[in-house]
Amino acid sequence: SQGKEVIWIHAVSLGETKAVQPLFQTLRSKYPKAFFLITTTTATGLAEARRSLGEADQFAYLPIDLSFITRRFAQKLRPKLFILVEGDFWPNLLFHLKKVGTKTILVSGKMSERSTKRFSFFPYFSKKLFIRLDLLSVQNEEYAKRFRIFTNRVHIGGNLKLDLNPQKVECSLSFKEPAITISCTHAPEEEKLLDLIPKDLFIFLAPRHPERFDEVAKL
C-alpha cells in the first residue's frame, strides 16, 4: 500500500462486483490518495473487478478465513475502511480487522430467510459476528428486520444495483422482430421460460453460470 490509507472492498462474485461500481467511483473521487484493494471469491468476480473497477490499486482473492492468515492480512494492511457488498460474513477476518482499528461497513446488505434461521440457531455466535460491523446498510425493510434480530446497527440504504449506469456493448446482430433479454437464470428456469415465450421473438438468454451455456443452447 506504499504508506497510503487502505480502503478494502470485498465483492463476493460477478453481480456484487458490478453493483459496487458507483460506490467505488465515488470513493475513488473523494479519496484520490487512498490505496484501493478489491477482493472477490470467484474467477468471474475477479475478472469483472479488473474490467469495471480498473482504477483500483490491487485485485486479489479473499484470503481463507483461518485466524493466522486473516490476522497477518489485517496487521499488514491495517485498512482504514473495509466495505462488504451484500454479504459473505467471515468471523476471523472481521475480528482481526476490528483488532487493528478498521471501520467495517456492509452495503446493499441482504439476508435470506434460510440464512436468518441458520444464524438464529447460534444466537450468541451470530450477535458476536454482526457486532463486528460498525454499520449495516441493507436493501429494504424486510432484510432490515432479519438483521435487527442480531444487531441494532441497521440502516436502510437501498440496492446498489439500482444505481448502475447502463453499459454500452457492441452488437453486430441485426434483426427486425421484437427482442427479449433474460439473464442470470438457473435450471430449470430456462426450459420453463422458453415454453412460455412466443416463438416470433428474438431471445437473448444469458444463464447465471457460463459453464451452462452449451447446456442451455441445446434447449
Side-chain angles (χ1 to χ4, degrees), residues 56-68:
D57 299 280
Q58 185 69 45
F59 305 91
Y61 288 111
L62 188 74
I64 297 173
D65 198 52
L66 297 175
S67 186
F68 72 95

Side-chain angles (χ1 to χ4, degrees), residues 17-192:
T17 306
K18 281 180 173 290
V20 82
Q21 185 178 352
L23 177 60
F24 167 76
Q25 291 171 343
T26 300
L27 290 170
R28 176 88 270 184
S29 176
K30 189 171 183 179
Y31 303 102
K33 296 182 179 180
F35 182 96
F36 281 83
L37 168 65
I38 311 295
T39 59
T40 73
T41 57
T42 68
T44 53
L46 195 62
E48 178 61 29
R50 290 190 170 117
R51 188 187 72 82
S52 62
L53 310 177
E55 294 181 9
D57 299 280
Q58 185 69 45
F59 305 91
Y61 288 111
L62 188 74
I64 297 173
D65 198 52
L66 297 175
S67 186
F68 72 95
I69 295 177
T70 55
R71 181 174 62 248
R72 187 167 57 192
F73 261 78
Q75 290 177 346
K76 184 175 181 179
L77 292 171
R78 295 187 175 273
K80 178 180 181 179
L81 179 63
F82 176 73
I83 298 173
L84 186 58
V85 184
E86 292 195 6
D88 210 24
F89 309 103
W90 294 105
N92 287 320
L93 176 62
L94 291 172
F95 173 76
H96 289 297
L97 287 174
K98 294 309 299 174
K99 289 276 283 187
V100 299
T102 302
K103 291 294 184 182
T104 54
I105 298 176
L106 172 69
V107 297
S108 202
K110 63 180 184 178
M111 183 187 293
S112 67
E113 188 174 349
R114 181 179 178 183
S115 294
T116 307
K117 291 178 180 178
R118 189 167 63 244
F119 282 122
S120 297
F121 283 133
F122 309 98
Y124 177 75
F125 165 82
S126 299
K127 288 178 180 180
K128 281 189 67 175
L129 171 65
F130 290 113
I131 203 68
R132 292 170 185 164
L133 287 163
D134 294 294
L135 174 67
L136 296 87
S137 177
V138 304
Q139 295 182 13
N140 55 45
E141 180 60 35
E142 181 180 359
Y143 292 139
K145 288 179 181 178
R146 293 171 184 172
F147 278 107
R148 287 187 186 123
I149 297 172
F150 312 105
T151 177
N152 60 2
R153 299 175 177 177
V154 180
H155 168 79
I156 299 175
N159 188 341
L160 283 177
K161 289 175 181 174
L162 301 180
D163 295 327
L164 280 171
N165 292 320
Q167 296 179 333
K168 292 183 178 181
V169 295
E170 292 185 6
C171 181
S172 58
L173 296 172
S174 60
F175 47 90
K176 295 180 180 180
E177 61 268 39
I180 184 170
T181 301
I182 308 170
S183 67
C184 294
T185 57
H186 298 77
E189 293 169 343
E190 299 94 359
E191 189 168 3
K192 293 180 178 179

